[in-house]
Amino acid sequence: MKIERIATISLIIVTLLWGTTFVVVQNAIEFVEPFTFNAFRFILATLILLPFLLRRKQKNGITLKQVLITSGIGFMLFSGYLLQTFGLIYTTSSKSGFITGLCVVLVPVFLYVFYRERSNWATVIACFIALFGLSFLTLGNRLSVNIGDVLTLFGAIAFAIHIILTGKFTKQMDALTFTTIQLATVGIFSTISAFIFELPKTPLSKELFTNSTFIFAVIVTAIFCTSIAFWVQMFAQKHISSTKAALIFILEPVFAAITAVVFGGETLTSHTLIGGTFIVGGMLLSEVPMPKRAKNVKEEAIYKEM
């Protein structure tokens, strides 16, 4: 099996984990605010990876420049969570899911604007098909715009930039090192945000640390949805394009919807069925190999040298 196919399947599994554990996180934040939960989640995930990182011998060591760049990429990930969290104060979860999913089309746009990288036409069409499906899955008839939608849009931009920068720099560093620094960055800034925005109104208590729902959610998300999942993402983006990665991530609400129907007792609506079909269809279209036109081989070689 080609390494690109392994990377694709791995990233789909990661997205499956994120989608199916959405209800776990939702249950946990009934007892604790979002930034406080993310602080526990990302700090624990960092501590899980740290022993593996310390035992691994780095061939060329880690430079200060690499630490600063990776921390900056981690800050973009945190910014996405920050803006999405504040956006949810003013908008609905379904609209937030759709707007966040806009990163699937923002990624190829930003890649062209900033790096002059063109995605093949099948992948671009697949992105728009998947986005159309996401609108069915989440929007319904709600087309109004408010401040929460704007904040969430900036969050989607941050997520898109994170995906692009991950694709650019993960090839230059060991995946484990790249992951650990990013998770530590998110954990630190989540902790700072929790103290600024949340802890005065929701102080930590002994009851919280004996709450089985909270403990279960932190452990499960820290191990499977953070330390392992982001490690796999860093590995996968070494071998597939950023646009392809963004397209895979849009499957998350599909997996979340399936979980809600199977385990949450929710009803499978026509909007959910149609939306999920378009998203999966877009994903499958991106897998269709595109033949290269012979007359453009020379142009492509010149373009790659630019």
Side-chain angles (χ1 to χ4, degrees):
M1 185 181 293
K2 292 183 178 180
I3 190 67
E4 292 87 354
R5 185 58 56 85
I6 294 174
T8 298
I9 294 173
S10 299
L11 213 52
I12 290 174
I13 294 173
V14 164
T15 308
L16 172 65
L17 285 173
W18 286 338
T20 54
T21 54
F22 180 81
V23 65
V24 175
V25 176
Q26 200 170 35
N27 290 337
I29 59 176
E30 291 181 7
F31 304 97
V32 67
E33 297 290 337
F35 286 126
T36 302
F37 177 80
N38 275 341
F40 280 105
R41 169 183 170 179
F42 281 90
I43 292 296
L44 178 58
T46 303
L47 294 176
I48 291 170
L49 292 182
L50 203 54
F52 297 96
L53 179 63
L54 295 176
R55 290 180 60 185
R56 175 171 293 187
K57 294 181 179 179
Q58 301 291 331
K59 294 181 179 180
N60 302 316
I62 305 172
T63 66
L64 177 60
K65 182 180 178 180
Q66 288 177 321
V67 172
L68 292 175
I69 289 174
T70 309
S71 298
I73 297 172
F75 182 75
M76 293 308 302
L77 179 61
F78 164 76
S79 299
Y81 283 117
L82 176 75
L83 292 163
Q84 185 183 58
T85 299
F86 277 104
L88 281 168
I89 298 174
Y90 307 100
T91 192
T92 62
S93 297
S94 57
K95 287 180 71 177
S96 176
F98 171 74
I99 296 170
T100 301
L102 286 174
C103 69
V104 75
V105 293
L106 291 175
V107 167
V109 170
F110 288 167
L111 279 172
Y112 180 74
V113 170
F114 296 109
Y115 294 99
R116 287 294 184 267
E117 291 187 13
R118 295 181 176 89
S119 301
N120 67 63
W121 65 266
T123 302
V124 173
I125 293 175
C127 288
F128 280 101
I129 290 175
L131 187 64
F132 179 73
L134 185 63
S135 69
F136 262 93
L137 196 65
T138 58
L139 279 185
N141 299 319
R142 297 177 290 276
L143 298 176
S144 59
V145 177
N146 57 43
I147 185 62
D149 300 329
V150 175
L151 290 172
T152 308
L153 176 60
F154 281 107
I157 292 173
F159 285 131
I161 294 173
H162 175 262
I163 291 171
I164 291 172
L165 293 179
T166 295
K168 293 295 179 183
F169 289 97
T170 191
K171 299 176 178 65
Q172 302 176 18
M173 287 182 66
D174 169 69
L176 178 59
T177 306
F178 197 59
T179 304
T180 307
I181 296 174
Q182 284 194 66
L183 298 189
T185 303
V186 177
I188 291 169
F189 280 102
S190 294
T191 302
I192 294 171
S193 298
F195 276 103
I196 295 174
F197 301 112
E198 296 175 350
L199 289 187
K201 59 179 179 179
T202 55
L204 300 179
S205 63
K206 185 183 298 184
E207 288 74 16
L208 179 65
F209 296 103
T210 57
N211 186 305
S212 59
T213 301
F214 170 73
I215 297 299
F216 175 77
V218 168
I219 292 175
V220 168
T221 55
I223 296 175
F224 298 104
C225 302
T226 310
S227 56
I228 294 177
F230 280 99
W231 191 356
V232 170
Q233 180 190 347
M234 300 310 119
F235 155 76
Q237 285 202 246
K238 285 178 179 283
H239 306 289
I240 62 175
S241 69
S242 297
T243 302
K244 179 69 170 293
L247 186 57
I248 293 172
F249 291 149
I250 208 173
L251 289 169
E252 182 180 351
V254 176
F255 293 134
I258 293 173
T259 303
V261 171
V262 175
F263 300 104
E266 293 189 13
T267 304
L268 180 63
T269 65
S270 58
H271 276 72
T272 301
L273 188 59
I274 294 172
T277 300
F278 273 104
I279 292 174
V280 174
M283 182 68 243
L284 293 176
L285 177 61
S286 72
E287 289 294 308
V288 177
M290 292 293 106
K292 293 183 179 180
R293 292 179 296 178
K295 65 179 181 180
N296 285 338
V297 171
K298 185 176 180 180
E299 292 178 11
E300 187 181 52
I302 295 174
Y303 172 73
K304 286 182 178 179
E305 293 176 0
M306 294 176 62

